[in-house]
Amino acid sequence: MMTSFLCCATASAQRDSFEGPPINYMTAATNDPVSKLAAEVEAGEVRLSYDPQHGYLKSVLEALDVPVSSQTLVFSKTSLQLRRISPHRPRALYFNDDVYVGWCQRGDVIEFAATDAKQGAMFYTLSQSEDAAPKFVRDRGQCLTCHASSRTQNVPGYLVRSVFADSGGQPILGSGTYNTDQTSPFEERWGGWYVTGTHGEMRHMGNITYEEDDTDGDREAGANRESLEGIVSTTPYLSPHSDLVALMVLEHQTQMHNAIAAANYETREAIHQSYQMNEFLERAPDYLSESAQRRIASSADRVVDHLLMCDEFALTSPVQGTSGFAEEFTARGIRDAKGRSLRDLDLNTRLFRYPCSYLIYSDAFDGLPKEVRSKIIDRLTAILENKVDDPEFAHLTPTMRSEILAILRQTKPEFADKKETSSL
């Protein structure tokens, strides 16, 4: 679904670990936004409209509450409908907190990836044909070739790739590729993507193509573009933008989702295996072994690191988008009595004003098993109460920690109940 192309040798091994108990990825019931919409369409409760230029795109974006301002354009041949993608015909990607939608000009299908609170990333397609009733089809393994690997934290998940794309959109594999998130250096981002927005003296890989013997490229030509006019025609798309801020939020969100899903899987697997050993060793049925507890604690720590934006790349120039995405994204925030929200953006030295991910409000976070969710909340509270001075949290000043904690205590009930914690 996301821009990816490397078929990892470990895919089969990873799949074996989550296709069986206790995860049962392929057979367990799903409850993600796309599966819910599919059920409503099948029941006749929702009607999707078709138009000749975009097919069902406008209708599904509205039904799934996915903003058009989130549009980004990727021209590298790194996804399912690669024959439909080129620098002249980029693929459009739209997203909200839980759903990703991919659309190609003259595409056979619209692609979807949606987050299930228990099972993580789910992948679907919707045929772009008006001849039959719209029907969502769940992927049965093809997407997992690239979307279940170390690049997605070893669970079915999402990734944003940056590649050296040639004039046809083909990645120049010998020059390397980058898996990008908020920790990525600016100069490694957005190869194979179009980018609209300003970023001062910083330079990225977007808006240009590369030659195999010259992967430096003319990055100056792709820098600080507020319009794609003269590079590619955006007339066929819902928006003329490929917003820089939307790209930055997308990079954070994808790996944050993966960290939450990885903690979910690891906890369920650790508990399942511990309970199996209890029967063999004639221990109490609900005994949780020390090794299981260590696995759960480690996965909780990884979630906390992602939540608090550890190792985030420090912006050296202000950044600004062009589509209004920043304003729309911020407006969706849950606010405390002082009007503060974890969706407030900084865009001068970092992405968020308060570096704690807004996905802490997500169904996926709330759906974490209590064994790991409680550890995350305890650990996070101790850090924000200044009871933890580990170097990885040095980017959080005492004032910043206090502000984040105050926001959480007023907007997330689990934190309101934890006024005091022990040092962790």
Side-chain angles (χ1 to χ4, degrees):
M1 174 61 211
M2 307 298 294
T3 175
S4 58
F5 63 92
L6 297 179
C7 300
C8 301
T10 59
S12 294
Q14 296 299 337
R15 198 173 302 172
D16 288 344
S17 72
F18 56 74
E19 286 192 357
I23 308 302
N24 299 313
Y25 178 79
M26 290 295 185
T27 57
T30 57
N31 194 37
D32 61 82
V34 173
S35 68
K36 291 177 184 177
L37 177 60
E40 291 168 347
V41 170
E42 189 171 353
E45 298 168 3
V46 172
R47 184 179 181 276
L48 297 179
S49 302
Y50 183 95
D51 76 70
Q53 184 172 9
H54 300 105
Y56 291 109
L57 178 62
K58 291 180 182 177
S59 191
V60 294
L61 291 181
E62 182 178 354
L64 292 166
D65 192 26
V66 176
V68 172
S69 65
S70 69
Q71 177 182 287
T72 58
L73 301 174
V74 54
F75 61 82
S76 61
K77 294 180 179 292
T78 53
S79 59
L80 178 65
Q81 300 183 85
L82 57 88
R83 292 177 180 82
R84 305 286 188 186
I85 303 168
S86 73
H88 297 295
R89 289 181 179 167
R91 175 171 172 255
L93 182 69
Y94 307 87
F95 68 98
N96 62 19
D97 292 8
D98 300 300
V99 179
Y100 306 87
V101 181
W103 178 84
C104 295
Q105 291 186 53
R106 304 178 187 175
D108 299 319
V109 297
I110 299 176
E111 305 159 60
F112 300 86
T115 304
D116 182 278
K118 187 174 183 180
Q119 297 296 86
M122 298 288 159
F123 302 91
Y124 302 87
T125 56
L126 174 64
S127 175
Q128 284 281 64
S129 172
E130 195 178 12
D131 297 335
K135 184 177 179 61
F136 294 86
V137 177
R138 183 180 167 188
D139 174 72
R140 290 297 172 183
Q142 180 181 358
C143 293
L144 298 183
T145 303
C146 294
H147 285 274
S149 73
S150 59
R151 299 180 188 276
T152 64
Q153 301 184 45
N154 298 319
V155 295
Y158 315 109
L159 66 157
V160 176
R161 299 289 290 155
S162 179
V163 305
F164 295 92
D166 65 19
S167 59
Q170 193 67 39
I172 304 172
L173 297 179
S175 298
T177 67
Y178 304 105
N179 193 36
T180 55
D181 62 12
Q182 74 270 2
T183 69
S184 300
F186 207 80
E187 64 267 21
E188 294 180 359
R189 302 189 191 195
W190 309 322
W193 297 78
Y194 289 116
V195 185
T196 57
T198 56
H199 44 83
E201 297 180 355
M202 297 184 296
R203 294 295 177 264
H204 56 74
M205 294 172 59
N207 292 332
I208 61 173
T209 58
Y210 296 82
E211 301 292 335
E212 192 156 358
D213 56 354
D214 179 22
T215 52
D216 290 333
D218 183 10
R219 296 196 181 192
E220 203 63 38
N224 292 302
R225 302 243 7 166
E226 297 185 60
S227 167
L228 296 176
E229 187 175 353
I231 301 181
V232 63
S233 172
T234 57
T235 302
Y237 300 89
L238 299 183
S239 163
H241 306 281
S242 185
D243 192 273
L244 182 154
V245 178
L247 279 163
M248 292 178 69
V249 170
L250 178 69
E251 289 166 336
H252 161 72
Q253 180 173 298
T254 49
Q255 290 298 333
M256 185 71 252
H257 267 308
N258 294 346
I260 293 171
N264 188 316
Y265 278 31
E266 182 74 0
T267 300
R268 290 159 63 193
E269 289 172 350
I271 292 171
H272 177 74
Q273 291 164 15
S274 182
Y275 286 2
Q276 284 183 316
M277 289 302 295
N278 290 345
E279 184 175 354
F280 178 73
L281 297 174
E282 298 183 345
R283 296 187 301 217
D286 60 351
Y287 176 79
L288 195 58
S289 67
E290 290 184 8
S291 63
Q293 292 185 56
R294 285 194 298 271
R295 290 172 62 183
I296 295 169
S298 293
S299 65
D301 287 345
R302 288 191 291 272
V303 172
V304 169
D305 287 351
H306 277 80
L307 283 170
L308 294 178
M309 311 285 285
C310 292
D311 299 320
E312 180 182 9
F313 173 78
L315 301 176
T316 55
S317 297
V319 299
Q320 185 173 351
T322 58
S323 73
F325 170 83
E327 293 77 11
E328 191 166 353
F329 174 85
T330 301
R332 294 182 177 218
I334 303 170
R335 300 194 173 274
D336 71 2
K338 292 186 177 181
R340 299 173 299 194
S341 168
L342 296 184
R343 295 174 83 97
D344 290 344
L345 297 164
D346 179 89
L347 304 182
N348 290 302
T349 60
R350 58 183 181 270
L351 179 54
F352 295 106
R353 181 175 180 181
Y354 308 106
C356 180
S357 180
Y358 57 94
L359 288 186
I360 200 168
Y361 301 111
S362 67
D363 290 343
F365 184 87
D366 290 343
L368 284 168
K370 65 180 185 304
E371 290 85 356
V372 69
R373 192 174 65 252
S374 63
K375 289 184 181 298
I376 293 169
I377 292 168
D378 287 346
R379 173 76 166 160
L380 190 54
T381 303
I383 294 166
L384 298 177
E385 288 181 339
N386 286 301
K387 294 179 178 178
V388 176
D389 59 359
D390 293 351
E392 63 262 41
F393 307 117
H395 64 294
L396 300 170
T397 66
T399 298
M400 197 180 296
R401 296 184 193 209
S402 177
E403 290 172 333
I404 294 170
L405 185 58
I407 294 169
L408 288 172
R409 282 183 170 159
Q410 291 187 41
T411 60
K412 189 76 176 168
E414 289 165 294
F415 287 88
D417 296 335
K418 287 197 171 288
K419 297 297 185 182
E420 295 293 337
T421 63
S422 58
S423 180
L424 296 178

